[in-house]
Amino acid sequence: STGYGHDDAGGREALDSVFAHVVGAEAAIVRPQFFSGTHAIACALFALLRPGHELLAVAGPPYDTLEEVIGIRGSDNVGSLKDFGITYREVPLAADGGLDWDALAHAVRPETGCALIQRSCGYSWRKSLGIDDIRRTIDLIKMQNPNCKVMVDNCYGEFVETSEPPMVVCSRCSSSYE
């Protein structure tokens, strides 16, 4: 499959279906047109958030490449989330470099449209998050706002455990997280 859909005879749909099955997701989009992780994350955030929503980064600051997408650095009037009326907050890490569970237990607001979990430590010195951390985080988020979407940036986290983030089921929900 070229990913362009020309004469693929179902190739795109088959590739999407196989990938979704492998990671335990409901659906997947696998395309060469996503030219970077930042591009893929930006597309997801613009799909999940609407004007008046808040984006909440629950694992400290996201990758610096997302700062312009969010609108927190050098991005006035270029089409950032901020330009579209979406606010941003982050939950700082705890003193030990891990998630601040106490702060997270009170961080989600009614206007929080999406909580971003960055699994990888990125360029920081914190430990990467395991599936159990992700499950606990999702439970805390959904306890405060069941309508809040949860997005996991799984960069460098693929296939390091027996479960993937789409396989996590919120204990308060009847299916995997949204």
Side-chain angles (χ1 to χ4, degrees):
S1 170
T2 64
Y4 287 100
H6 302 296
D7 302 318
D8 277 352
R12 264 201 285 196
E13 293 81 8
L15 181 60
D16 292 347
S17 178
V18 167
F19 194 83
H21 177 74
V22 168
V23 299
E26 188 176 314
I29 302 174
V30 182
R31 300 286 185 281
Q33 291 87 354
F34 290 125
F35 56 86
S36 69
T38 300
H39 181 221
I41 292 167
C43 289
L45 292 175
F46 276 101
L48 295 172
L49 292 162
R50 295 291 173 261
H53 280 172
E54 172 188 75
L55 171 63
L56 178 66
V58 300
Y63 289 115
D64 60 349
T65 56
L66 285 173
E67 291 176 355
E68 292 172 339
V69 171
I70 294 168
I72 56 178
R73 177 175 52 101
S75 53
D76 288 339
N77 300 313
V78 295
S80 68
L81 293 171
K82 181 180 177 182
D83 291 339
F84 285 93
I86 296 161
T87 59
Y88 170 77
R89 279 187 312 122
E90 61 190 50
V91 179
L93 297 173
D96 66 359
L99 294 182
D100 187 338
W101 298 108
D102 292 333
L104 181 55
H106 306 285
V108 181
R109 299 175 177 164
E111 65 271 16
T112 306
C114 180
L116 172 63
I117 303 172
Q118 182 176 298
R119 184 175 190 182
S120 170
C121 61
Y123 307 116
S124 69
W125 289 104
R126 75 165 171 87
K127 290 201 277 187
S128 294
L129 302 178
I131 288 295
D132 289 337
D133 294 323
I134 292 170
R135 180 178 291 108
R136 182 176 174 192
T137 302
I138 292 169
D139 283 346
L140 283 171
I141 292 164
K142 293 293 189 175
M143 204 175 336
Q144 296 168 72
N145 181 350
N147 297 316
C148 181
K149 305 289 190 243
V150 176
M151 187 190 137
V152 178
D153 173 0
N154 197 35
C155 183
Y156 306 118
E158 298 86 359
F159 309 117
V160 297
E161 294 187 62
T162 57
S163 296
E164 292 296 315
M167 299 172 181
V168 172
V169 176
C170 171
S171 66
R172 299 176 51 84
C173 310
S174 58
S175 62
S176 359
Y177 68 88
E178 301 173 311

